[in-house]
Amino acid sequence: MEIKVARPDHPEVREVIASHHCVQRFRKRIRIKAPGIDIVEEKLRLALQEADFSRWPPAWIASDRQTEMWALVDDDIAFPLTPTSEPGRWLAMTCLVRGGRR
């Protein structure tokens, strides 16, 4: 399964793809209990579509994490992004949530 979001409105981030690990963490940390992947895919796609992009992590993130770009949602959810071999295409490696919900 591949969840990807096009963002033609951003000069550096044209597309974000969520890794399998990111999808799993998003489900767990956002506490999606519904069975199946459809609701997870819908909510994750919406979160990435609405995200703001920054080269700086939010203040609640440990500063030792090395990443070039962040997708930030309402300062409560952060996706560290890794560039892919295709310019403008980024991979969301995981999902982090303020307050450490696991």
Side-chain angles (χ1 to χ4, degrees):
M1 175 193 62
E2 182 177 276
I3 296 175
K4 66 180 176 179
V5 175
R7 290 295 302 261
D9 61 323
H10 195 277
E12 292 180 90
V13 182
R14 289 193 327 270
E15 185 176 63
V16 178
I17 301 166
S19 71
H20 181 73
H21 177 79
C22 179
V23 174
Q24 289 178 322
R25 290 294 167 252
F26 183 79
R27 175 190 279 279
K28 187 173 185 178
R29 292 179 174 153
I30 303 302
R31 299 181 181 167
I32 299 172
K33 305 246 187 247
I37 194 65
D38 293 341
I39 191 73
V40 177
E41 183 176 6
E42 179 183 330
K43 288 182 181 276
L44 180 53
R45 189 178 311 278
L46 182 62
L48 290 171
Q49 192 66 44
E50 294 179 355
D52 292 319
F53 298 102
S54 174
R55 294 213 175 262
W56 299 97
W60 51 269
I61 296 285
S63 63
D64 63 340
R65 184 176 288 271
Q66 298 294 319
T67 191
E68 289 184 43
M69 188 72 74
W70 292 85
L72 308 172
V73 182
D74 297 330
D75 201 36
D76 291 323
I77 303 171
F79 300 93
L81 304 178
T82 300
T84 67
S85 59
E86 185 178 321
R89 188 176 209 200
W90 296 78
L91 179 65
M93 297 300 294
T94 193
C95 172
L96 304 171
V97 177
R98 181 193 284 245
R101 285 186 272 177
R102 298 178 187 193

